[in-house]
Every structure is written in C-alpha cells, then in structure tokens.
C-alpha cells in the first residue's frame, strides 16, 4: 500500500510530535499516569461552565423541525445573527449575521479561509514562534508558510514582517493571545501592521488579508485586553472557536468573522462558504451551534487558569527558569538553559516531565509548558524542574 508523497513528508515532519506522545504513553505505563507531569497538550482541563450544561440540556429537550437536517453551509442564520451581535460589541464594529460563517473549530475556520484565498504558491506569512499546524494548513491549499521573527518578548516585529512580505504574500496570519508564547499583540503594533499591509497591498497591486486566529481571546490575566483587528485593517478576518474558552474542543465549534468593510466581501464570503462545504465539513455541528448561540460572552472560570499560571511562574522563577509571564492563553514558553531545546526536553523527560521543544513551534532555544493541568501536577513537578535546571547551570 502506498500513500501520497506529500502526506508521507508531512508525517515524517510531524513524527517527533508522535514520538513525544509515544514516550509520554510509555512513561505513564511504566511509572503510573499520576507520577508523570504532562505539560505537553493544550487540552483544556477546567470544566465547561455550568451554563453550558444547562443550555445543552435545554437544547436537547427541544426538537425544532429539521433539528438534524442539512442547513446553509454557513450555519443557522439565527446563530450567525446572535454571534454577530456579540462580535459587534467585542470588535466595536457593527457586524451582521451575513458576515459570520460557523465552522468546525478554529482549525476548520483557518482551512476554509486559506482554501478560499490561496492560489498555488501563495505565501502565508506568520510571526514565529507559531502554532505547529499553520504550515500544514497552508500546504493543504497549495500555499507556503513564511515566517518573521518576533521581538525578544515575542511582541510583533514590524521590520521583520515588512521585510518578509513578497509579491506572493496573500495572508498575514497572527495569533493573539499566542500559542506557544501567551503574548498578546498591542493595539499600537496592530495599527502599525494594518498600515503596513495597506501600504504593501497598494505597492504590490494585490489584496493582502490579515487573519487573526483568536481562540484564546477570553483567556487573559491581570486585566489584559486583546485589541480588535477590525479597526486596524479593512481586509481582515477573525478565525476563532469555543474550544478553549468553553472547554469544548471535542465539539468542534468555531466561526469566521469577516470585517464588514472588507473589499470583495461578497465573493470572499461565498468562497469560504463553498470551501466549508467542499472540504467536507458541509456545516458546523448543528446541536452545538444551537447551544453556543445562547452562551455569547460566557467562558470557563479564568481564575482557575490564573492560579495555575501563578503556581507555575512562581515555582519556575524560584528554580531559575527564564520566561515572560504570559498575559494570555495557558502556555508558558521558557528559555532552554542550553541552545538545544530538544536535549533539554529529553532531560525533563528523564525526570518524568513532558514538555514540547520550541523547535516544534519554530521557536528553537525554548520549550512549551501547557498549564491546563491539575494544580497538583504543577506543584508536584517543581522538585523535578529544579533538579533538571541544576544539571544545566
Ligand atoms: C493557535 C491555535 N489555533 C487554532 C487551534 C485549533 O483550535 P480548534 O480546536 O478550535 O480547531 C488551536 C488549538 O490548539 C490553537 O492553539
């Protein structure tokens, strides 16, 4: 049996992720899952809010006609309207339901966007470190992922982005709050990015899209605010989901919001609706659309993540680790004490700590800790974190 060369190549590029999974599973089998400190996965571990369960039960108890039938590829019109209402307040720009497309998670949203806008060889430019799947998503649709460095605190580096825009750039893809760094891009830097894209679009005679991947928007700390991109650049889109803020990633529910001021909005929306269909999603899950439309603005208890972040930051600081305190998301991205982050992650594994090397996020020299874990895991891992650091100091 043979499979496509492209998929074989993708499999080999992502094989270290699989190896990490396998190592983690082996360590858990050998030592007992409770003795392994697993910080490797961004799988939310706080429960969905009570309101989610209440609305889910109420929704299941009602059976409007056609509750399980096909629907418009963009989703139920009344759900899109409810989301547009909430987004209008969030983004400070009035949106209508027409500008919302319900998708299978943020991943489905990104794939529908890229499918609709990329021609073969077009470039998707992203600041790094970045979410590990971006390269695969661009490749799914004939695109190529290009990267630009961020500043040492992982904020946007406008000069690096400007230098990386080419005649083939079609999309600039940002993610704030960021996975893996937790950084939030400031309003000033987003305004400057908008101005840069305006200038480059005019220079190149080509529409450049700004896509903001925002599934962590509601997971922020110390009063941090995630600025709106719609006010910064007209040809902008938001891809997001309820995976992280309602703790329901398995339900695959997200959406695309298009800036009402976008040029060619009608063909863009039509293209993405078609993409949603022909990628095989057809439409986002029906029951969950009905549920989330009644949960606008609701999220998990962020104080639970704030506590985990505090425990992890205090513990690692005392152990001599170097990192920025993440203003959002549930990841910490500390510096590896040696340049080879894979070597350091292996040393952590020897002490039964599972982390992901920064190289996997195009951020070599760092490693990622997902702190969506039990408080006890964080507290109990500290002696091991100290021991490993002591080996390298
Ligand atoms: C930055 C980022 N974008 C997109 C996704 C995909 O989210 P979803 O599960 O909603 O498809 C993730 C998931 O971890 C993520 O971290």
């Amino acid at each position: 049996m043979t499979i496509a060369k492209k998929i074989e190549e993708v499999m080999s590029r992502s094989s270290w992720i699989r190896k990490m999974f396998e190592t983690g599973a082996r360590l858990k089998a050998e030592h007992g899952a409770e003795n392994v400190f697993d910080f490797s996965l961004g799988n939310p571990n706080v429960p969905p809010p009570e309101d989610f369960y209440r609305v889910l039960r109420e929704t299941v108890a009602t059976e409007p006609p056609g509750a399980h039938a096909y629907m418009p590829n963009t989703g139920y019109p009344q759900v899109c309207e409810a989301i547009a209402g909430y987004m209008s307040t969030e983004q400070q720009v009035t949106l209508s339901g027409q500008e919302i497309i319900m998708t299978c998670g943020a991943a489905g949203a990104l794939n529908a966007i890229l499918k609709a806008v990329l021609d073969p060889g077009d470039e998707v430019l992203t600041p790094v470190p970045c979410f590990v799947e971006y390269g695969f998503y661009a490749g799914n649709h004939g695109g190529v992922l290009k990267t630009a460095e961020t500043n040492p605190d992982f904020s946007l580096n406008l000069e690096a982005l400007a230098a990386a825009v080419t005649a083939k750039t079609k999309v600039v893809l940002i993610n704030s709050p960021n996975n893996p760094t937790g950084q939030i891009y400031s309003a000033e830097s987003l305004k400057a990015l908008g101005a840069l894209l305006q200038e480059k679009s005019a220079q190149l005679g080509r529409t450049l899209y700004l896509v903001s991947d925002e599934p962590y928007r509601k997971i922020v700390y110390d009063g941090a605010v995630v600025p709106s991109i719609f006010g910064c650049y007209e040809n902008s889109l938001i891809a997001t989901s309820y995976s992280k803020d309602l703790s329901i990633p398995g339900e695959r529910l997200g959406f695309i919001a298009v800036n009402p001021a976008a040029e060619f909005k009608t063909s863009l929306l039509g293209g993405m609706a078609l993409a949603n269909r022909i990628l095989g999603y057809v439409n986002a899950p029906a029951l969950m659309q009905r549920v989330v439309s009644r949960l606008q603005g609701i999220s998990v208890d962020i104080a639970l993540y704030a506590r985990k972040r505090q425990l992890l930051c205090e513990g690692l600081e005392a152990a001599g680790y170097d990192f920025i305190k993440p203003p959002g998301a549930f990841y910490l991205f500390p510096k590896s004490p040696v340049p080879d982050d894979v070597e350091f992650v292996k040393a952590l594994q020897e002490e039964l700590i599972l982390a992901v090397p920064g190289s996997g996020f195009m951020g070599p020299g760092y490693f990622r800790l997902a702190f969506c874990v039990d408080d006890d895991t964080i507290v109990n891992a500290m002696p091991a974190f100290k021991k490993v650091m002591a080996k390298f100091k």
Side-chain angles (χ1 to χ4, degrees):
M1 203 178 86
T2 179
I3 58 167
K5 283 194 184 63
K6 192 170 168 187
I7 287 293
E8 244 173 17
E9 193 253 323
V10 168
M11 282 168 78
S12 73
R13 266 197 289 145
S14 63
S15 70
W16 64 265
I17 301 178
R18 226 179 30 238
K19 264 194 225 130
M20 284 242 350
F21 263 123
E22 285 162 9
T23 309
R26 180 175 53 76
L27 290 177
K28 285 176 189 172
E30 275 173 26
H31 300 274
E34 68 288 359
N35 297 316
V36 176
F37 310 112
D38 190 349
F39 295 92
S40 66
L41 289 180
N43 202 4
N45 82 320
V46 312
E50 259 313 303
D51 283 338
F52 170 77
Y53 291 110
R54 178 182 53 78
V55 172
L56 177 61
R57 280 190 295 269
E58 287 171 10
T59 308
V60 169
T62 62
E63 279 291 319
H68 308 290
Y70 286 125
M71 68 183 76
N73 302 127
T74 52
Y76 290 119
Q78 68 276 24
V79 171
C80 295
E81 285 300 336
I83 291 175
Y86 178 76
M87 290 296 284
S88 299
T89 311
E90 180 192 278
Q91 292 289 315
Q92 298 291 296
V93 168
T94 304
L95 280 101
S96 81
Q98 307 282 329
E99 285 138 359
I100 303 291
I101 297 182
M102 303 307 295
T103 61
C104 290
L110 291 168
N111 274 281
I113 294 170
L114 297 178
K115 174 100 182 147
V117 304
L118 294 182
D119 280 313
D122 276 350
E123 293 174 356
V124 176
L125 174 61
T126 192
V128 285
C130 72
F131 181 46
V132 66
E133 306 291 76
Y134 286 166
F136 303 130
Y137 294 170
N140 282 347
H141 310 294
V144 182
L145 190 73
K146 295 284 170 176
T147 60
E149 292 300 316
T150 46
N151 294 318
D153 65 353
F154 308 118
S155 59
L156 286 181
N157 179 331
L158 273 302
E159 289 80 40
L161 281 162
V165 173
T166 75
K168 288 186 174 172
T169 308
K170 193 66 174 276
V171 170
V172 172
L173 172 56
I174 58 172
N175 166 223
S176 169
N178 185 265
N179 174 8
T181 67
Q183 189 52 283
I184 295 173
Y185 300 142
S186 69
E188 295 71 40
S189 68
L190 293 174
K191 273 202 194 91
L193 178 60
L196 170 72
L197 295 186
Q198 196 72 46
E199 184 194 315
K200 292 281 182 186
S201 297
Q203 248 173 37
L204 297 167
R206 168 180 173 86
T207 304
L208 297 182
Y209 291 103
L210 175 61
V211 176
S212 184
D213 180 19
E214 305 187 351
Y216 301 97
R217 168 175 275 279
K218 294 199 189 75
I219 304 178
V220 291
Y221 310 106
D222 303 333
V225 174
V226 182
S228 152
I229 60 151
F230 281 174
C232 299
Y233 184 61
E234 287 187 350
N235 291 319
S236 54
L237 301 96
I238 293 169
T240 190
S241 72
Y242 300 92
S243 299
K244 314 291 175 170
D245 58 32
L246 286 181
S247 270
I248 56 166
E251 301 296 347
R252 312 307 304 134
L253 219 277
F255 64 90
I256 299 166
V258 178
N259 192 334
E263 293 171 282
F264 316 117
K265 190 175 68 179
T266 309
S267 45
L268 181 61
L269 282 160
M272 294 189 301
L274 177 72
N276 213 21
R277 176 181 124 205
I278 66 178
L279 284 168
Y281 304 129
V282 183
N283 58 253
L287 175 64
M288 279 302 139
Q289 286 195 44
R290 291 164 60 209
V291 172
V292 301
S293 67
R294 294 178 52 197
L295 292 171
Q296 293 305 298
I298 305 284
S299 71
V300 294
D301 183 358
I302 306 299
L304 298 175
Y305 284 130
R307 182 174 155 72
K308 297 175 197 301
R309 169 181 174 262
Q310 195 62 21
L311 287 171
L312 189 61
C313 289
E314 277 174 11
L316 290 186
E317 199 173 0
Y321 287 81
D322 182 9
F323 54 86
I324 65 147
K325 201 170 179 184
F330 40 57
Y331 305 105
L332 202 71
F333 202 59
K335 217 176 194 139
S336 161
V338 281
D340 185 350
D341 47 305
V342 176
E343 179 193 344
F344 187 69
V345 163
K346 280 187 183 149
L348 289 172
Q349 271 175 11
E350 281 167 23
E351 297 303 324
L352 305 185
I353 294 173
L354 304 180
V356 185
S359 310
F361 305 95
M362 294 190 232
Y366 292 81
F367 62 99
R368 190 193 76 172
L369 299 171
F371 58 82
C372 41
V373 296
D374 290 344
D375 292 9
D376 282 353
T377 303
I378 300 172
V379 172
N380 296 338
M382 280 309 148
F385 273 118
K386 270 193 197 134
K387 194 171 161 191
V388 182
M389 182 50 103
K391 283 188 197 165
F392 288 87
K393 277 258 153 136

